[in-house]
Amino acid sequence: MIENNLTIYNSLTRLKERFVPIHEGRVGMYVCGPTVYGDGHLGHARPAITFDILYRYLMHLGYKVRYVRNITDVGHLEHDADDGEDKIAKKARLEQLEPMEVVQHYLNSYHKSMERLNVLPPSIEPHASGHIIEQIEYVKKILESGYAYESEGSVYFDVPKYNKDFHYGKLSGRNIDELLSTTRELDGQQEKHNPADFALWKKAAPEHIMHWPSPWSEGFPGWHLECSTMGEKYLGTKFDIHGGGMDLMFPHHECEIAQSVAHNGEETVHYWMHNNMITIEGKKMGKSYGNFITLDEFFNGTHPKLQQAYSPMTIRFFILQAQYRSTLDFSNEALQASEKALNRMIEGVNRLNELKPSETSTIDVSGIRKKCYEALDDDLNTSIVIAHLFDACRMINQVKDGNATATAADIAELKEVFRIFLNDILGIRTEILADSNAETTLKPFEDAVDLLLEMRAKAKAEKDWTTSDLIRNKMSEIGFDVKDTKDGFEWSLKK
């Protein structure tokens, strides 16, 4: 039996709850993935990294995890509505491509960005377009249950009828009466019985290029349907965790709950988890707002709002410095601060490998591991984990600078703490991430700097202060930090 003290905030109950899986030793987790009609941006990185941490931590605790993250490649209409053009079909029309060309191009780009961010791939990555038959069968069963109706070749979910028997709005806190009174009738949607009803199947207009045969019409599934269908197909009628961005809580996840209850007679998901948004100048970052910065633009520094390029690990560290349910506002200053902090952390790890053990310790490393676990168990509070790792860096620096001592056992414990929490769970790579020739390319550069500093050390030994100061000052001017230590010298590039 796996013991864990993990508590997670359940968006459905609005409480932190102890995580207890349905099946001992196994976890089923479904996370809403991207609609692939454009390059991945910073807003896509946050849910991917958030649920990557959960995935990594559950596996670290010993669970066998089936992690399903879907790809939306059909049915997601403009403005998340039931009318308008399919986002992918529109992109295909504008660029004169096949819709699946658009999907494949941007899916390849998304996967490449996720790999660079060190996001582990899910266990299964199903496509909506690959599960049309299952979605049609799902709609049939909802129709049989009496919570849907056919209208002019489309099928709609009857929200008021469902709400009489269950509670539509329980996840988001929306009031159905207010929804019905404030939702205006949209042009072209008179076929709905009620404006709050949502599409399960849409009849395709003649110009709609993505459509399939069904008992009701030649058409395509509604956006919300794919997740209920694929979640149940791969994880069963009861599974542990469903995650996604907070912006999906309504209507997407609210509709999912209603579909699942209408289909099965009971709810499917035990824990609903939602990460908060990344904002830019206080407004949600997203394609629909036209204010997004793609991940490639961050990595290359090519967007006009960026003062420089930022490495994938800097982006990951920036996201993890905030607890996943808090808002995170983009700014160059915030990213530059994250870059400096990450460099300090990596510098601490590198210095750890240079520590010489003593017979006794004047530092206390015994509680760091426990504190990191406690922070993760408290709803994945990665910001607190990072704070504890910086405490460990402070101890490392004290020992390295000769102001404290550490035994071999304490040094080994610190190495293990960084391996578990920084590398394995937080997923921060501390090795050089450039191409495979990076080490070979950097070696002559490092040797040249070391040679120059050895010349300075020799000048100091010979009391040639003019040469010694000249080397130090010139190196500082061109961007090096030089630090004298009891063992000789250390150097690094200025942050």
Side-chain angles (χ1 to χ4, degrees):
M1 181 176 176
I2 298 170
E3 291 187 13
N4 84 74
N5 297 307
L6 175 62
T7 58
I8 54 180
Y9 183 84
N10 189 343
S11 303
L12 188 63
T13 61
R14 295 166 181 78
L15 295 170
K16 280 186 188 178
E17 298 177 1
R18 185 164 177 268
F19 175 69
V20 181
I22 297 167
H23 303 290
E24 176 61 38
R26 294 175 177 268
V27 176
M29 181 169 83
Y30 188 101
V31 175
C32 287
T35 302
V36 280
Y37 69 103
D39 287 314
H41 57 73
L42 194 62
H44 291 126
R46 192 169 198 190
I49 290 170
T50 294
F51 293 102
D52 184 56
I53 298 298
L54 179 60
Y55 184 33
R56 287 169 177 270
Y57 191 45
L58 288 169
M59 289 193 295
H60 174 77
L61 292 174
Y63 290 105
K64 183 176 176 60
V65 184
R66 178 175 288 176
Y67 175 16
V68 181
R69 187 182 68 207
N70 70 301
I71 297 297
T72 299
D73 58 0
V74 67
H76 195 170
L77 305 188
E78 294 178 289
H79 314 300
D80 300 348
D82 283 337
D83 250 18
E85 198 168 0
D86 184 292
K87 294 183 177 186
I88 289 163
K90 181 179 180 180
K91 188 80 169 182
R93 177 175 58 79
L94 292 174
E95 297 191 5
Q96 296 185 309
L97 297 169
E98 281 290 329
M100 287 303 132
E101 272 187 284
V102 172
V103 167
Q104 195 64 54
H105 173 79
Y106 290 112
L107 183 56
N108 290 345
S109 172
Y110 177 76
H111 283 157
K112 186 177 178 182
S113 293
M114 292 303 106
E115 187 176 346
R116 294 183 73 183
L117 289 167
N118 203 23
V119 171
L120 298 176
S123 316
I124 304 172
E125 193 173 55
H127 290 230
S129 65
H131 296 77
I132 300 297
I133 293 170
E134 292 92 336
Q135 291 182 79
I136 289 171
E137 292 303 311
Y138 208 95
V139 174
K140 285 181 183 177
K141 197 162 179 183
I142 295 176
L143 278 165
E144 289 170 11
S145 74
Y147 294 111
Y149 57 89
E150 183 183 349
S151 177
E152 299 179 28
S154 295
V155 181
Y156 291 96
F157 192 94
D158 193 330
V159 170
K161 184 175 181 181
Y162 171 85
N163 191 58
K164 286 178 184 175
D165 298 331
F166 301 100
H167 179 191
Y168 183 81
K170 66 186 298 184
L171 178 67
S172 61
R174 303 290 179 101
N175 183 300
I176 182 62
D177 296 324
E178 288 179 9
L179 279 174
L180 290 171
S181 63
T182 58
T183 308
R184 64 182 178 87
E185 193 73 43
L186 299 176
D187 291 340
Q189 292 194 11
Q190 288 81 1
E191 63 192 37
K192 288 185 181 184
H193 291 178
N194 302 283
D197 296 347
F198 59 89
L200 298 172
W201 185 266
K202 284 288 290 182
K203 181 180 180 179
E207 66 274 11
H208 200 99
I209 57 178
M210 299 175 76
H211 50 81
W212 292 263
S214 80
W216 316 287
S217 64
E218 187 80 13
F220 54 92
W223 172 40
H224 313 304
L225 186 64
E226 63 178 279
C227 291
S228 293
T229 303
M230 295 190 296
E232 185 170 321
K233 178 179 175 68
Y234 295 109
L235 298 173
T237 55
K238 290 273 188 185
F239 61 88
D240 298 296
I241 297 166
H242 193 317
M246 200 171 281
D247 57 329
L248 296 177
M249 196 179 289
F250 186 88
H252 189 50
H253 290 162
E254 197 73 73
C255 294
E256 277 191 58
I257 291 174
Q259 288 168 162
S260 299
V261 172
H263 185 269
N264 300 318
E266 59 183 353
E267 290 184 34
T268 299
V269 178
H270 276 205
Y271 303 89
W272 284 90
M273 294 180 69
H274 294 90
N275 63 275
N276 214 321
M277 299 297 96
I278 291 183
T279 56
I280 179 166
E281 296 167 349
K283 190 175 182 180
K284 179 199 164 188
M285 182 181 287
K287 290 192 185 83
S288 57
Y289 294 102
N291 65 349
F292 64 94
I293 303 173
T294 71
L295 290 168
D296 276 345
E297 286 171 333
F298 274 104
F299 302 155
N300 301 328
T302 52
H303 193 279
K305 285 188 179 291
L306 298 175
Q307 294 175 4
Q308 64 178 81
Y310 297 98
S311 73
M313 287 302 99
T314 296
I315 299 296
R316 187 175 178 108
F317 200 71
F318 166 67
I319 288 171
L320 294 178
Q321 279 185 293
Q323 205 271 349
Y324 75 91
R325 287 192 295 113
S326 64
T327 54
L328 186 58
D329 195 56
F330 156 79
S331 69
N332 279 283
E333 292 75 21
L335 276 169
Q336 286 162 2
S338 291
E339 184 177 65
K340 289 178 181 178
L342 177 59
N343 285 336
R344 286 202 312 273
M345 182 81 73
I346 292 173
E347 194 175 90
V349 173
N350 291 337
R351 293 186 109 200
L352 174 59
N353 295 322
E354 299 168 2
L355 295 189
K356 294 177 180 176
S358 301
E359 289 189 9
T360 59
S361 275
T362 57
I363 57 170
D364 182 10
V365 305
S366 59
I368 296 174
R369 187 190 294 230
K370 182 172 181 287
K371 288 175 183 176
C372 288
Y373 277 124
E374 287 172 349
L376 287 169
D377 286 338
D378 184 17
D379 197 28
L380 303 179
N381 201 330
T382 54
S383 62
I384 300 298
V385 175
I386 289 170
H388 292 319
L389 293 178
F390 272 120
D391 285 341
C393 285
R394 181 178 47 79
M395 295 179 191
I396 292 165
N397 290 335
Q398 287 176 336
V399 175
K400 180 64 177 173
D401 294 342
N403 299 320
T405 59
T407 62
D410 282 350
I411 293 170
E413 172 63 9
L414 286 169
K415 286 180 179 179
E416 188 69 358
V417 162
F418 279 101
R419 183 191 65 78
I420 291 171
F421 296 103
L422 186 64
N423 302 132
D424 292 355
I425 298 175
L426 296 189
I428 297 295
R429 290 175 173 145
T430 50
E431 74 274 19
I432 294 168
L433 293 174
D435 61 32
S436 57
N437 294 322
E439 196 171 320
T440 306
T441 306
L442 286 173
K443 188 72 168 63
F445 166 78
E446 292 170 347
D447 288 347
V449 175
D450 287 342
L451 178 62
L452 198 57
L453 288 174
E454 283 165 9
M455 290 171 64
R456 175 176 173 267
K458 185 180 178 184
K460 280 180 67 180
E462 295 172 353
K463 295 186 169 45
D464 181 359
W465 309 119
T466 302
T467 302
S468 169
D469 291 344
L470 178 66
I471 293 172
R472 182 182 187 121
N473 294 341
K474 286 294 184 184
M475 289 189 72
S476 179
E477 283 176 23
I478 60 176
F480 289 90
D481 272 328
V482 177
K483 184 177 182 181
D484 292 314
T485 68
K486 60 186 178 69
D487 297 319
F489 57 80
E490 288 181 354
W491 64 267
S492 61
L493 293 171
K494 286 184 177 179
K495 315 301 195 286

